[in-house]
Amino acid sequence: MDIIVAALPLLLKGLQVTLYIFVIAIILGFLIGLLVALLRLAPIKILNWIAKVYVDAIRGTPFIVQLFFIYFGVNSLNVISLDSTTAGIITVAINAGAYFAEIIRAGIQSIDKGQTEAARSIGFTGAQTMRYVVLPQAFRRMLPTITNQSIISLKDTSLLSVIGIADLTQQGQIQASATFEAFKVWLAVGVIYFIIIYLLTLIANFIERRVQVR
Amino acid sequence: MSIIIVKNLRKSFGTVEVLKDINAEVQEKEVICVIGPSGSGKSTFLRCLNLLEEVTGGEVLINGHDITDPKRKININKVRQEVGMVFQHFNLFPHKTVLENITLGPIKIRATDKAEAGRLALELLDKVGLKEKASSYPGELSGGQKQRVAIARALAMNPKIMLFDEPTSALDPEMVGDVLEVMKQLAKEGMTMVVVTHEMGFAREVGDRVIFMDGGYIVEENEPNELFGNPQHERTKAFLSKVL
């Protein structure tokens, strides 16, 4: 037990890094997802096509390859230089963005056409109809799937340890090899991830109940 | 001047021609009822009047504005503010309260002050007999109540014309009366109305003119007593013998 107590401050420091990257990446990812979903549904062929290529490319390649591509690949061009944290945030955001795009697109399409017609018949523009009528309803429906994807993205951040980011998983690795107590350390790391994800689920459930469509 | 003028209106969905050559005029304060069998094009005709359907050919003039002008100098959103519409399936916004359903347009489009919009909405709710439902959500209302809220929502934009697309077809029979009562009141106040309906009683009692459509054409139009009592065309006779 004292092994864990001794390791805990460093593991929690790692957790801080994990959460920092997760929060920024998930917000960016959501904004990317919203933009791409709207491009996907826009009445302009070329925009639909760009959005589709992006989503397919991300869904069709492993996360770790995307990470290496951005951290090693892009950096090797010597055009910009990304530190590991920035590269990590970008990868998680771009990856989550593609999945969010599909979730949001499906959510928008699930809203009855009559809602749009009613809003347009009052005199709302297409953009106003999206903002005041379609999206608020779509988001309520999407919430469970959005939570799901967020949890997946949180777990994906553990792969960022591979490029040397000092996240929870990386700290686990350091502690495990320093103490030769791999079983206890990894159990502790697992429990910390579990607690965070459990809390995330509770928050999501709370929000879901609050915004339920009556 | 006629407030609605329709000239040689045509509308196709793919290769199916739904409206073939529609010509009609509506005077201010007139109540026009459009009847006809399912698939006759009457709903499509109505939806062309506020461009919920893109027209294939011909012209639609609302209050003198040619909304079908291909050069699109007309801002259709502006025109739609003057043309209220009520749908068969109500299409209330389920995430907003009854009051918010009614105030959303005035607040967001007309930049009406929130308190003022609320006051106006309560007035309209009172008119349709649902003042006590202001803070309810649409999901808590019966069909007839929903439709009356939908009418209030359309009226909140202070439109010059009201379009009704089979407003009572999705209602339980005992709810129909309340909705028709509100529409009668509206007609009495001088609202210009175009009503697609299966309620022959309403058409007869409230309509100034009745249009009978079949197969994408206006087959016959006349004053209600003439059209119902003395139909000129075989198709009108056949239809009326089935529904009356």
Side-chain angles (χ1 to χ4, degrees):
Chain A
M1 200 59 205
D2 26 331
I3 301 276
I4 301 301
V5 173
L8 205 54
L10 284 167
L11 291 184
L12 291 180
K13 227 175 131 193
L15 176 64
Q16 242 176 29
V17 174
T18 293
L19 289 179
Y20 168 75
I21 290 175
F22 169 71
V23 169
I24 297 180
I26 215 72
I27 292 170
L28 282 178
F30 188 78
L31 295 176
I32 294 172
L34 181 58
L35 177 72
V36 173
L38 293 175
L39 292 183
R40 189 82 196 263
L41 295 170
I44 302 166
K45 274 257 161 59
I46 180 80
L47 296 181
N48 307 158
W49 185 80
I50 292 170
K52 190 170 169 1
V53 167
Y54 163 67
V55 170
D56 287 350
I58 296 298
R59 290 211 299 188
T61 52
F63 179 84
I64 198 93
V65 172
Q66 295 161 14
L67 179 64
F68 287 170
F69 177 77
I70 287 172
Y71 186 56
F72 298 119
V74 172
N75 269 343
S76 74
L77 298 176
N78 290 321
V79 182
I80 41 169
S81 128
L82 301 168
D83 63 65
S84 57
T85 306
T86 312
I89 289 173
I90 291 175
T91 310
V92 176
I94 286 180
N95 181 276
Y99 292 98
F100 278 142
E102 284 299 277
I103 293 168
I104 295 169
R105 180 179 67 94
I108 290 173
Q109 284 178 328
S110 79
I111 301 302
D112 183 60
K113 223 179 86 210
Q115 292 290 309
T116 303
E117 290 184 349
R120 297 307 301 268
S121 78
I122 292 171
F124 283 110
T125 63
Q128 286 173 323
T129 301
M130 259 304 160
R131 176 159 168 218
Y132 298 120
V133 176
V134 178
L135 285 180
Q137 294 181 60
F139 281 134
R140 287 166 165 85
R141 268 187 213 180
M142 288 179 233
L143 220 58
T145 353
I146 286 175
T147 309
N148 222 4
Q149 179 55 44
S150 302
I151 289 171
I152 292 172
S153 289
L154 177 61
K155 290 191 283 193
D156 279 347
T157 61
S158 72
L159 288 164
L160 300 181
S161 60
V162 186
I163 59 167
I165 292 177
D167 74 330
L168 177 55
T169 301
Q170 175 81 333
Q171 293 291 4
Q173 242 153 19
I174 293 166
Q175 292 303 309
S177 47
T179 60
F180 298 105
E181 291 277 7
F183 183 83
K184 287 179 186 167
V185 170
W186 286 117
L187 182 65
V189 169
V191 168
I192 295 174
Y193 272 116
F194 179 81
I195 290 171
I196 295 304
I197 288 169
Y198 193 71
L199 287 176
L200 206 64
T201 314
L202 287 183
I203 296 169
N205 287 346
F206 175 74
I207 298 174
E208 232 169 278
R209 272 198 306 275
R210 283 291 299 273
V211 301
Q212 224 163 35
V213 179
R214 268 148 275 219
Chain B
M1 193 188 70
S2 306
I3 193 162
I4 303 176
I5 301 174
V6 179
K7 284 187 214 158
N8 308 110
L9 175 65
R10 286 185 297 111
K11 169 68 187 175
S12 300
F13 292 104
T15 55
V16 184
E17 200 169 31
V18 180
L19 297 178
K20 285 165 183 156
D21 181 25
I22 302 288
N23 291 281
E25 287 196 20
V26 181
Q27 307 300 320
E28 223 166 313
K29 303 196 174 187
E30 221 180 358
V31 176
I32 305 291
C33 291
V34 185
I35 62 170
S38 307
S40 58
K42 53 194 193 304
S43 278
T44 306
F45 165 62
L46 193 75
R47 290 160 59 85
C48 285
L49 298 183
N50 66 352
L51 240 52
L52 277 188
E53 300 293 350
E54 230 21 271
V55 308
T56 309
E59 283 174 26
V60 177
L61 281 82
I62 301 292
N63 217 0
H65 303 296
D66 181 359
I67 59 172
T68 49
D69 182 5
K71 278 170 254 153
R72 278 294 160 84
K73 274 171 286 180
I74 293 298
N75 180 350
I76 185 63
N77 299 315
K78 272 263 181 326
V79 176
R80 282 180 179 146
Q81 292 173 31
E82 315 268 288
V83 185
M85 187 159 194
V86 174
F87 299 85
Q88 182 177 355
H89 295 289
F90 332 123
N91 299 344
L92 292 178
F93 308 135
H95 60 303
K96 304 236 172 249
T97 64
V98 164
L99 193 83
E100 288 165 346
N101 262 276
I102 301 171
T103 57
L104 190 67
I107 291 173
K108 299 299 180 193
I109 300 174
R110 293 254 167 85
T112 307
D113 173 71
K114 210 171 169 182
E116 170 65 18
R119 201 187 52 72
L120 181 85
L122 282 175
E123 230 169 73
L124 288 168
L125 276 176
D126 194 29
K127 186 170 167 173
V128 300
L130 289 171
K131 202 170 185 178
E132 75 285 358
K133 296 288 182 189
S135 51
S136 302
Y137 281 86
E140 299 162 349
L141 305 180
S142 72
Q145 292 171 331
K146 280 183 198 168
Q147 196 60 298
R148 284 183 280 155
V149 172
I151 293 172
R153 177 177 68 178
L155 290 175
M157 294 302 285
N158 201 13
K160 295 198 174 69
I161 302 166
M162 285 282 284
L163 308 177
F164 293 83
D165 190 2
E166 301 195 24
T168 58
S169 296
L171 300 179
D172 292 336
E174 71 267 30
M175 305 283 179
V176 170
D178 292 342
V179 172
L180 292 182
E181 206 46 55
V182 169
M183 292 168 63
K184 271 181 214 169
Q185 186 58 35
L186 210 53
K188 219 180 276 171
E189 290 167 13
M191 177 63 76
T192 309
M193 294 163 60
V194 183
V195 185
V196 170
T197 187
H198 293 294
E199 295 290 332
M200 298 304 149
F202 177 84
R204 193 165 214 162
E205 188 189 334
V206 184
D208 294 309
R209 261 188 307 142
V210 178
I211 291 179
F212 172 68
M213 283 183 71
D214 192 19
Y217 293 103
I218 292 179
V219 176
E220 187 167 350
E221 65 173 284
N222 215 329
E223 285 167 20
N225 283 336
E226 277 299 303
L227 191 121
F228 288 113
N230 184 22
Q232 299 300 307
H233 289 262
E234 283 310 315
R235 275 192 286 178
T236 320
K237 284 178 196 164
F239 175 74
L240 290 176
S241 74
K242 272 183 230 151
V243 297
L244 287 181

